[in-house]
Amino acid sequence: MPIAKRHCSMKESSYLPIGKNLLHTNLSMTRRHAMNNPHTPSRSLPIRIALCGLSNPDEATVLNNLFSHANRWQQPWQVVPDADMADLLLVTANSSEELAGWHSDTGGFTQDRLICYSQQRPQEARWHLRRPPQGQTPSPLEFTILLKEISQALALATPAPTGLQPAPRPRAQPFDWREKLKILIVGSVGSGKTTAISTLCGDKVISTEAAPSDQTQLHKQSTTVAMDFGTLALNEDTQLHVYGAPGQRRFDFMGEILIQKALGIIILVSNAASDSIKELNYYLDAHREFLANHHAVIGVTHNDVSPTPSLNEYTRALQARGASWPIFKVDARQHGDLMQLVTTLLGSTIAHG
């Protein structure tokens, strides 16, 4: 691709052509800033990125919106107008040759400072964000995982201090999300846990259903007595283990066992329950210790049976507890609804640790 056709976005829908003259004028500054003195990732200094090669203003807007969320992370990210202000570049490249062209033309940016934005990953790409079909949004989960991994790589690559420079704060161990992809779904009897796991995982489900022997038999012919378990493929390399805890109070000890080593929990609350907010508070209280260091997302089911409480009422109940977990109305039979809960939970966990 000729240099004159390369662009880096300045704002959501405006672009700056990087021609030969401009490129050579800024090249020394780019190389000096981005390579010799990279940012040390911290809570205060954002990682700066320029978006290059985007000819569609709507696509640039979508990416800017994603990065605007990342600007609020513990390690913030910021979109900048031009390459000479950036630590990394997100570039459009559909082949190894195009990616090599970006590396050659930008001079100061090595492969580990280029994020390839394409439908297929070139073999030489260190970092890759899958480019969706026109009009669609990149996967928020893939986006979050990618930025988290880059943040960790930059932190590990920070040069050791010399002379009288202050020593950096101890680095936390990288968040190994591939080893920790386990979540637990909790909720009362009839809230839709078994259905949700079946919807997410299809035929890859193990269930321990039995005929109830208490008042549950008035509502259901069978109920979970140990656990539900299924696996969900997030991509070609990543499997999510999804566990469901029994809803009967006498089996609460199973939830305490299953929650071990989970990233977070999905709490399902049925609007058909006699006191849905009380049910929500029960599970927040039951897992208070776990939630002190982990994330949760709440799904409200059976909205076709009862539209109330509303999401606003649930939100006020959470605020009264000093909590602010994401909450959605969902249908446990709809895969898209359940994936919204999963991606929100994983995205929050990976972004904030």
Side-chain angles (χ1 to χ4, degrees), residues 10-31:
M10 293 186 66
K11 298 180 181 178
E12 290 186 352
S13 59
S14 62
Y15 303 88
L16 176 65
I18 303 183
K20 290 184 178 179
N21 293 336
L22 178 60
L23 179 63
H24 288 295
T25 299
N26 291 332
L27 182 57
S28 61
M29 182 186 298
T30 300
R31 183 183 295 113

mmCIF file of all heavy atoms in Angstrom, residues 10-31:
data_model
loop_
_atom_site.group_PDB
_atom_site.id
_atom_site.type_symbol
_atom_site.label_atom_id
_atom_site.label_comp_id
_atom_site.label_asym_id
_atom_site.label_seq_id
_atom_site.Cartn_x
_atom_site.Cartn_y
_atom_site.Cartn_z
ATOM 1 N N MET A 10 -7.622 11.239 13.711
ATOM 2 C CA MET A 10 -7.400 12.290 14.701
ATOM 3 C C MET A 10 -8.529 12.328 15.704
ATOM 4 O O MET A 10 -8.331 12.444 16.889
ATOM 5 C CB MET A 10 -7.300 13.651 14.025
ATOM 6 C CG MET A 10 -6.063 13.799 13.140
ATOM 7 S SD MET A 10 -5.925 15.475 12.520
ATOM 8 C CE MET A 10 -5.626 16.388 14.029
ATOM 9 N N LYS A 11 -9.757 12.205 15.229
ATOM 10 C CA LYS A 11 -10.927 12.206 16.091
ATOM 11 C C LYS A 11 -11.820 11.056 15.655
ATOM 12 O O LYS A 11 -11.426 10.200 14.883
ATOM 13 C CB LYS A 11 -11.653 13.552 15.998
ATOM 14 C CG LYS A 11 -10.786 14.723 16.478
ATOM 15 C CD LYS A 11 -11.548 16.024 16.376
ATOM 16 C CE LYS A 11 -10.670 17.194 16.836
ATOM 17 N NZ LYS A 11 -11.371 18.484 16.713
ATOM 18 N N GLU A 12 -13.048 11.085 16.077
ATOM 19 C CA GLU A 12 -13.918 9.968 15.776
ATOM 20 C C GLU A 12 -14.181 9.846 14.279
ATOM 21 O O GLU A 12 -14.381 8.765 13.774
ATOM 22 C CB GLU A 12 -15.252 10.126 16.517
ATOM 23 C CG GLU A 12 -15.111 9.935 17.999
ATOM 24 C CD GLU A 12 -16.433 9.943 18.700
ATOM 25 O OE1 GLU A 12 -17.439 10.237 18.055
ATOM 26 O OE2 GLU A 12 -16.448 9.654 19.905
ATOM 27 N N SER A 13 -14.197 10.949 13.538
ATOM 28 C CA SER A 13 -14.522 10.853 12.123
ATOM 29 C C SER A 13 -13.634 11.752 11.275
ATOM 30 O O SER A 13 -14.044 12.218 10.224
ATOM 31 C CB SER A 13 -15.999 11.223 11.902
ATOM 32 O OG SER A 13 -16.242 12.533 12.367
ATOM 33 N N SER A 14 -12.418 12.063 11.726
ATOM 34 C CA SER A 14 -11.503 12.842 10.914
ATOM 35 C C SER A 14 -10.157 12.151 10.863
ATOM 36 O O SER A 14 -9.785 11.437 11.778
ATOM 37 C CB SER A 14 -11.340 14.259 11.488
ATOM 38 O OG SER A 14 -10.787 14.210 12.780
ATOM 39 N N TYR A 15 -9.394 12.378 9.769
ATOM 40 C CA TYR A 15 -8.200 11.587 9.518
ATOM 41 C C TYR A 15 -7.041 12.484 9.137
ATOM 42 O O TYR A 15 -7.217 13.562 8.582
ATOM 43 C CB TYR A 15 -8.460 10.572 8.395
ATOM 44 C CG TYR A 15 -9.602 9.696 8.738
ATOM 45 C CD1 TYR A 15 -10.909 10.062 8.416
ATOM 46 C CD2 TYR A 15 -9.404 8.521 9.463
ATOM 47 C CE1 TYR A 15 -11.967 9.276 8.773
ATOM 48 C CE2 TYR A 15 -10.461 7.732 9.824
ATOM 49 C CZ TYR A 15 -11.751 8.101 9.479
ATOM 50 O OH TYR A 15 -12.798 7.331 9.850
ATOM 51 N N LEU A 16 -5.847 12.019 9.424
ATOM 52 C CA LEU A 16 -4.640 12.755 9.095
ATOM 53 C C LEU A 16 -3.826 11.912 8.131
ATOM 54 O O LEU A 16 -3.348 10.844 8.484
ATOM 55 C CB LEU A 16 -3.816 13.015 10.356
ATOM 56 C CG LEU A 16 -2.464 13.696 10.133
ATOM 57 C CD1 LEU A 16 -2.687 15.108 9.595
ATOM 58 C CD2 LEU A 16 -1.674 13.739 11.417
ATOM 59 N N PRO A 17 -3.643 12.360 6.870
ATOM 60 C CA PRO A 17 -2.828 11.588 5.941
ATOM 61 C C PRO A 17 -1.367 11.626 6.360
ATOM 62 O O PRO A 17 -0.832 12.679 6.673
ATOM 63 C CB PRO A 17 -3.050 12.292 4.599
ATOM 64 C CG PRO A 17 -3.450 13.686 4.963
ATOM 65 C CD PRO A 17 -4.173 13.587 6.276
ATOM 66 N N ILE A 18 -0.731 10.465 6.390
ATOM 67 C CA ILE A 18 0.696 10.414 6.696
ATOM 68 C C ILE A 18 1.439 10.276 5.374
ATOM 69 O O ILE A 18 1.677 9.171 4.892
ATOM 70 C CB ILE A 18 1.035 9.241 7.626
ATOM 71 C CG1 ILE A 18 0.226 9.350 8.914
ATOM 72 C CG2 ILE A 18 2.516 9.209 7.949
ATOM 73 C CD1 ILE A 18 0.544 8.291 9.913
ATOM 74 N N GLY A 19 1.772 11.372 4.743
ATOM 75 C CA GLY A 19 2.523 11.343 3.504
ATOM 76 C C GLY A 19 3.997 11.264 3.792
ATOM 77 O O GLY A 19 4.445 11.282 4.932
ATOM 78 N N LYS A 20 4.821 11.179 2.737
ATOM 79 C CA LYS A 20 6.264 11.002 2.936
ATOM 80 C C LYS A 20 6.872 12.169 3.687
ATOM 81 O O LYS A 20 7.674 11.988 4.594
ATOM 82 C CB LYS A 20 6.947 10.823 1.583
ATOM 83 C CG LYS A 20 6.616 9.498 0.903
ATOM 84 C CD LYS A 20 7.410 9.344 -0.375
ATOM 85 C CE LYS A 20 7.123 7.994 -1.032
ATOM 86 N NZ LYS A 20 7.881 7.844 -2.298
ATOM 87 N N ASN A 21 6.491 13.404 3.326
ATOM 88 C CA ASN A 21 7.103 14.559 3.976
ATOM 89 C C ASN A 21 6.775 14.581 5.466
ATOM 90 O O ASN A 21 7.644 14.770 6.301
ATOM 91 C CB ASN A 21 6.628 15.856 3.318
ATOM 92 C CG ASN A 21 7.144 15.980 1.894
ATOM 93 O OD1 ASN A 21 8.167 15.376 1.555
ATOM 94 N ND2 ASN A 21 6.452 16.742 1.073
ATOM 95 N N LEU A 22 5.481 14.400 5.786
ATOM 96 C CA LEU A 22 5.066 14.419 7.189
ATOM 97 C C LEU A 22 5.709 13.267 7.949
ATOM 98 O O LEU A 22 6.153 13.413 9.078
ATOM 99 C CB LEU A 22 3.538 14.327 7.295
ATOM 100 C CG LEU A 22 2.982 14.282 8.718
ATOM 101 C CD1 LEU A 22 3.383 15.546 9.475
ATOM 102 C CD2 LEU A 22 1.470 14.147 8.680
ATOM 103 N N LEU A 23 5.780 12.105 7.291
ATOM 104 C CA LEU A 23 6.352 10.937 7.956
ATOM 105 C C LEU A 23 7.811 11.191 8.319
ATOM 106 O O LEU A 23 8.238 10.960 9.441
ATOM 107 C CB LEU A 23 6.242 9.714 7.051
ATOM 108 C CG LEU A 23 6.826 8.408 7.613
ATOM 109 C CD1 LEU A 23 6.063 8.003 8.860
ATOM 110 C CD2 LEU A 23 6.764 7.317 6.569
ATOM 111 N N HIS A 24 8.600 11.729 7.361
ATOM 112 C CA HIS A 24 10.013 11.947 7.639
ATOM 113 C C HIS A 24 10.223 13.099 8.614
ATOM 114 O O HIS A 24 11.165 13.105 9.389
ATOM 115 C CB HIS A 24 10.769 12.212 6.334
ATOM 116 C CG HIS A 24 10.920 10.980 5.491
ATOM 117 N ND1 HIS A 24 11.652 9.903 5.901
ATOM 118 C CD2 HIS A 24 10.398 10.658 4.278
ATOM 119 C CE1 HIS A 24 11.596 8.945 4.957
ATOM 120 N NE2 HIS A 24 10.840 9.380 3.978
ATOM 121 N N THR A 25 9.322 14.087 8.620
ATOM 122 C CA THR A 25 9.438 15.189 9.567
ATOM 123 C C THR A 25 9.277 14.695 10.997
ATOM 124 O O THR A 25 9.987 15.118 11.905
ATOM 125 C CB THR A 25 8.365 16.252 9.277
ATOM 126 O OG1 THR A 25 8.570 16.748 7.965
ATOM 127 C CG2 THR A 25 8.443 17.386 10.275
ATOM 128 N N ASN A 26 8.321 13.756 11.196
ATOM 129 C CA ASN A 26 8.004 13.297 12.547
ATOM 130 C C ASN A 26 8.728 12.016 12.936
ATOM 131 O O ASN A 26 8.602 11.549 14.055
ATOM 132 C CB ASN A 26 6.493 13.043 12.680
ATOM 133 C CG ASN A 26 5.706 14.333 12.630
ATOM 134 O OD1 ASN A 26 6.213 15.380 13.008
ATOM 135 N ND2 ASN A 26 4.477 14.254 12.159
ATOM 136 N N LEU A 27 9.482 11.439 12.004
ATOM 137 C CA LEU A 27 10.025 10.115 12.249
ATOM 138 C C LEU A 27 10.957 10.066 13.457
ATOM 139 O O LEU A 27 10.862 9.190 14.305
ATOM 140 C CB LEU A 27 10.772 9.625 11.008
ATOM 141 C CG LEU A 27 11.371 8.211 11.100
ATOM 142 C CD1 LEU A 27 10.282 7.196 11.437
ATOM 143 C CD2 LEU A 27 12.049 7.847 9.799
ATOM 144 N N SER A 28 11.867 11.055 13.547
ATOM 145 C CA SER A 28 12.809 11.021 14.665
ATOM 146 C C SER A 28 12.087 11.188 15.990
ATOM 147 O O SER A 28 12.414 10.548 16.979
ATOM 148 C CB SER A 28 13.857 12.123 14.500
ATOM 149 O OG SER A 28 13.249 13.392 14.479
ATOM 150 N N MET A 29 11.071 12.053 16.005
ATOM 151 C CA MET A 29 10.296 12.236 17.234
ATOM 152 C C MET A 29 9.552 10.959 17.580
ATOM 153 O O MET A 29 9.491 10.535 18.742
ATOM 154 C CB MET A 29 9.302 13.384 17.067
ATOM 155 C CG MET A 29 8.488 13.662 18.323
ATOM 156 S SD MET A 29 7.220 14.912 18.038
ATOM 157 C CE MET A 29 8.231 16.302 17.597
ATOM 158 N N THR A 30 8.975 10.308 16.567
ATOM 159 C CA THR A 30 8.238 9.077 16.795
ATOM 160 C C THR A 30 9.141 8.002 17.372
ATOM 161 O O THR A 30 8.830 7.354 18.358
ATOM 162 C CB THR A 30 7.636 8.584 15.471
ATOM 163 O OG1 THR A 30 6.764 9.575 14.974
ATOM 164 C CG2 THR A 30 6.873 7.284 15.681
ATOM 165 N N ARG A 31 10.313 7.831 16.731
ATOM 166 C CA ARG A 31 11.228 6.790 17.180
ATOM 167 C C ARG A 31 11.715 7.088 18.597
ATOM 168 O O ARG A 31 11.786 6.216 19.449
ATOM 169 C CB ARG A 31 12.411 6.692 16.217
ATOM 170 C CG ARG A 31 13.377 5.572 16.579
ATOM 171 C CD ARG A 31 14.585 5.553 15.652
ATOM 172 N NE ARG A 31 14.201 5.239 14.290
ATOM 173 C CZ ARG A 31 14.290 6.098 13.279
ATOM 174 N NH1 ARG A 31 14.727 7.321 13.509
ATOM 175 N NH2 ARG A 31 13.947 5.751 12.067
#
